[in-house]
Amino acid sequence: MQIGKILYPVTTLGVGERLGIWTQGCNRFCRGCSNPELQTFDETKDVSPQKIFDATIGWEFDGVTISGGEPFLQAKDLKTLVQLYSEAGVEDILVYTGFTLEELAAKKDENIDYVLANISVLIDGPFVEALVDEVPLRGSSNQRVWVLNEKYRQAYQAYLKEEKKVDIFYFSDDAHFIGIPFAGYDALYKKLLTNRRRK
């Protein structure tokens, strides 16, 4: 499974402090994509779902968010990853996709069907830069937030009433801004990076 990055704790892509997993590779190339570095497939970033699970299951997270890239382009490995966490008792698994729910269902793929039956939330649809809005979890107004596990409906309805925000992970030579793009986000990121370099 090609993986772009794994971060924790992520608070901007679902309820609570979450494990964030980003797959590598996407063929949509949406204008304004917040993760352009994850669009190209890269075999050097192959890692087994079991290894990802083993390395992270001991972390104290409230849920798992899987984004990308496009997770469903690696449907078999995605199914295995979801199955590992689900069978370990992780119920709140959120997945982002550029496909619509209808497109995924129409594929009649047992791996995709398993994922949809075992996650709590799906955010679907391609990112459209001209339709950016201020609703948390989604990037643009054409995207939909599907709560697939009724146990989490109330929590996610409350989350969707909050403001969009960003988590910042600083590393020695890099920084990751984690959250859903909002109007003017690129200018904010540049300002934050400039201020950090001055310190």
Side-chain angles (χ1 to χ4, degrees):
M1 187 175 199
Q2 294 184 22
I3 297 295
K5 56 189 173 186
I6 298 175
L7 295 172
Y8 167 83
V10 174
T11 66
T12 56
L13 300 176
V15 175
E17 294 189 345
R18 308 179 69 81
L19 170 66
I21 302 171
W22 284 260
T23 63
Q24 183 77 36
C26 181
N27 55 14
R28 290 185 180 273
F29 304 105
C30 297
R31 181 182 176 86
C33 174
S34 61
N35 294 312
E37 74 282 3
L38 300 181
Q39 292 177 349
T40 304
F41 287 94
D42 185 348
E43 292 183 357
T44 68
K45 295 188 175 182
D46 272 336
V47 57
S48 72
Q50 186 69 55
K51 188 173 182 179
I52 297 168
F53 174 80
D54 291 343
T56 60
I57 191 58
W59 302 356
E60 297 181 2
F61 49 79
D62 299 307
V64 175
T65 293
I66 304 172
S67 187
E70 172 50 66
F72 284 97
L73 291 180
Q74 303 182 65
K76 184 176 180 180
D77 284 331
L78 177 63
K79 180 259 184 180
T80 300
L81 191 64
V82 167
Q83 183 175 19
L84 286 167
Y85 285 111
S86 180
E87 291 182 350
V90 179
E91 295 183 327
D92 186 7
I93 302 175
L94 182 156
V95 179
Y96 281 90
T97 179
F99 293 103
T100 64
L101 179 60
E102 293 83 0
E103 287 172 335
L104 291 174
K107 290 181 181 293
K108 304 297 183 183
D109 182 312
E110 62 180 10
N111 297 303
I112 292 174
D113 292 344
Y114 178 92
V115 171
L116 296 177
N118 287 277
I119 61 175
S120 56
V121 179
L122 181 79
I123 316 295
D124 78 341
F127 173 68
V128 179
E129 189 174 34
L131 298 179
V132 169
D133 64 13
E134 298 305 311
V135 177
L137 289 182
R138 71 183 188 193
S140 52
S141 60
N142 62 297
Q143 296 175 321
R144 298 171 297 179
V145 179
W146 297 95
V147 180
L148 304 176
N149 184 334
E150 287 300 318
K151 177 179 178 179
Y152 293 97
R153 182 167 299 281
Q154 185 174 356
Y156 276 93
Q157 286 178 338
Y159 189 92
L160 289 169
K161 295 177 181 178
E162 299 179 8
E163 293 183 350
K164 281 188 175 181
K165 53 187 178 180
V166 62
D167 289 321
I168 306 174
F169 291 81
Y170 287 117
F171 300 97
S172 59
D173 59 350
D174 198 6
H176 292 269
F177 298 90
I178 305 303
I180 302 301
F182 46 87
Y185 78 95
D186 50 344
L188 172 62
Y189 292 179
K190 290 176 183 177
K191 181 179 179 180
L192 291 170
L193 284 174
T194 298
N195 290 340
R196 175 172 168 78
R197 293 190 187 104
R198 289 173 178 168
K199 293 180 180 180

